Amino acid sequence: MGSTHKPTVLVFTDWYIPGYKAGGPISSIANMVAALGLLIHFKIVCSDRDYLDTKPYHDVEPFAWQKVGLAEVLYLPLGKVKLRDIRSIIDRTAFDKVYINGMFSKVYSIFPLIATRMLKQPVIVAPRGMLAPGALSIKKRKKSSFLRLFKTLKLYKGTTFHSTHEHESAHIKSKISKKSRIVTLPNFPRQPKRKSGTIQKSTGQLNMIMIARIAPEKNILFALQVLTLLPKSAWVSLMIIGPVYDEDYFVRCREIEASLPANVHVVWGGSKTYAQIDDALDESHLFFLPTLGENYGHSIAEAMLSGVPVLITDTTPWRNLKSRGLGADLALDNHQAFADFITAVASMNQSDYADAFGKVAASASELIHLPLTIEGYKLLFE
């Protein structure tokens, strides 16, 4: 392949911009295109509507390629796409590699995988954390059936897997094959638009933010249970930004919310645009997400790059946060440890808070090595 050749990557993903409600799946591809779009030609196939929406985007013509930023995008109508349609797209599109973002979506993961096998095309699969124990525990029987089928049909034979950290690589080897070909590269974070200055911090007062869909794998119920353990001296508010994915789970969360003490306040913010999220981060002292597992955690990275310390679990790639002055990553077997950390941050005054977390944005930038990541992706796609 000559040095002047610009590789073309055909991407299959459930959602893409202008959508934003799906969070990480959209960010993973949108940030990759933003970082590499001048070096690699991306052609993206996705749904014609946002996560959980019933209506398609405005001014989108289905089955027609259109320019969106640095990529070309083909939006497909919900519920009308067959395997033959995906095969036809792959057969008629010039590309160097197929990149499948996810594993269990019928139209955007399974159909492309089958079609690439039928047409003998090179394929890269990014599991996006879907093989982690916490993720597999949700709809466990259905996912186990899919994995058995994939193995029986040898659909992953010759496939390259893109993992985002060593733990995900181990999950791939465990659930797919010990001989799986794996390339480990981190995701690209979105660079939040930060305002100058630091939010003011009063002793005993704390503004927290959580950015996640309302679903069991995000462990919001656990977060609310932690809040019940806070002392009366801590006046805490928690803004939860994200769509309701699981209505039954949401009902259970609201039941816990009803038992919170008067000094703890929860706001359900629903879905918000990236600009609105940036504004909300500017008003927050602490990001809180006791997730069951993330292959990357875009909202975690964005919070840190915004200068907001994070309180998360030890089930993400973001580890040893305390030693870096970025917050804390704690084990899920101890609610009280989370409550104690929140209480400690709440008790800080402005000077204490600035001393503890004044360098979060700078430390996060050092932690994310973009030049090395870009070179790694160029090798993956070339």
Side-chain angles (χ1 to χ4, degrees):
M1 187 175 290
S3 59
T4 59
H5 178 78
K6 185 176 180 179
T8 297
V9 179
L10 180 60
V11 178
F12 288 91
T13 186
D14 284 89
W15 308 281
Y16 191 62
I17 52 178
Y20 59 90
K21 295 178 182 177
I26 296 175
S27 296
S28 295
I29 303 303
N31 297 347
M32 182 172 69
V33 171
L36 300 170
L38 297 178
L39 305 172
I40 295 167
H41 183 200
F42 289 100
K43 305 194 78 169
I44 298 168
V45 183
C46 64
S47 172
D48 67 348
R49 64 202 66 195
D50 206 351
Y51 178 65
L52 298 179
D53 278 2
T54 57
K55 296 181 180 180
Y57 303 119
H58 295 297
D59 302 323
V60 165
E61 182 182 351
F63 290 105
W65 289 102
Q66 58 190 81
K67 188 73 172 176
V68 179
L70 295 173
E72 287 186 83
V73 183
L74 186 69
Y75 295 99
L76 304 183
L78 182 68
K80 299 181 180 179
V81 183
K82 309 297 183 185
L83 175 59
R84 64 176 177 269
D85 298 315
I86 299 299
R87 175 169 176 166
S88 177
I89 291 168
I90 294 173
D91 200 26
R92 297 180 182 182
T93 305
F95 61 84
D96 294 280
K97 296 281 180 68
V98 170
Y99 185 91
I100 299 174
N101 190 48
M103 291 196 66
F104 299 113
S105 167
K106 183 177 74 171
V107 173
Y108 298 101
S109 300
I110 298 172
F111 283 177
L113 183 63
I114 294 173
T116 54
R117 301 296 81 177
M118 294 168 67
L119 297 169
K120 298 181 179 179
Q121 296 286 0
V123 62
I124 302 166
V125 173
R128 298 299 177 199
M130 295 179 185
L131 295 177
L136 288 177
S137 67
I138 310 299
K139 298 182 181 179
K140 183 176 181 180
R141 184 176 299 177
K142 182 179 180 180
K143 291 176 180 178
S144 296
S145 297
F146 273 129
L147 290 174
R148 284 195 297 270
L149 179 62
F150 295 158
K151 288 183 179 181
T152 300
L153 298 179
K154 298 182 179 179
L155 290 179
Y156 287 123
K157 185 177 181 180
T159 295
T160 297
F161 287 93
H162 170 208
S163 84
T164 55
H165 58 93
E166 59 185 19
H167 298 295
E168 184 168 41
S169 298
H171 298 153
I172 293 168
K173 291 179 180 179
S174 172
K175 298 300 179 181
I176 303 299
S177 171
K178 293 181 179 178
K179 299 180 180 179
S180 296
R181 181 174 185 266
I182 302 170
V183 175
T184 304
L185 290 167
N187 281 325
F188 290 99
R190 182 178 69 89
Q191 296 292 329
K193 295 181 180 178
R194 300 200 309 273
K195 298 176 183 177
S196 59
T198 304
I199 182 173
Q200 293 300 303
K201 177 72 179 63
S202 300
T203 303
Q205 177 261 338
L206 186 68
N207 295 347
M208 293 199 299
I209 187 171
M210 177 185 296
I211 304 171
R213 64 184 178 275
I214 315 303
E217 59 268 26
K218 299 303 179 182
N219 216 15
I220 298 168
L221 199 64
F222 179 97
L224 297 173
Q225 290 168 343
V226 167
L227 297 185
T228 66
L229 302 177
L230 297 180
K232 294 180 180 180
S233 59
W235 289 88
V236 174
S237 67
L238 173 63
M239 166 73 80
I240 301 175
I241 296 175
V244 176
Y245 174 76
D246 188 319
E247 289 286 352
D248 292 338
Y249 187 74
F250 184 47
V251 170
R252 293 171 60 200
C253 289
R254 295 304 301 267
E255 290 173 351
I256 297 295
E257 179 196 3
S259 67
L260 291 174
N263 57 302
V264 179
H265 182 56
V266 174
V267 177
W268 302 91
S271 297
K272 293 189 181 296
T273 64
Y274 291 129
Q276 290 171 325
I277 288 173
D278 290 345
D279 288 342
L281 285 168
D282 281 330
E283 300 300 321
S284 302
H285 301 112
L286 181 66
F287 176 93
F288 183 27
L289 183 64
T291 173
L292 294 181
E294 303 289 332
N295 79 305
Y296 184 72
H298 284 280
S299 62
I300 300 169
E302 290 167 16
M304 293 189 295
L305 289 169
S306 293
V308 181
V310 300
L311 173 58
I312 58 175
T313 51
D314 59 0
T315 56
T316 84
W318 308 103
R319 302 295 299 276
N320 304 313
L321 299 181
K322 187 175 181 180
S323 63
R324 296 186 170 106
L326 293 169
D329 47 293
L330 306 176
L332 274 170
D333 59 358
N334 190 344
H335 288 69
Q336 190 62 52
F338 286 85
D340 290 345
F341 185 88
I342 293 170
T343 303
V345 179
S347 68
M348 293 178 178
N349 59 26
Q350 178 65 33
S351 177
D352 295 335
Y353 183 81
D355 288 344
F357 303 120
K359 297 181 179 180
V360 167
S363 298
S365 294
E366 292 176 2
L367 193 60
I368 299 168
H369 305 291
L370 290 182
L372 289 175
T373 302
I374 289 172
E375 289 303 313
Y377 274 87
K378 286 168 63 178
L379 290 172
L380 174 66
F381 292 134
E382 291 178 352

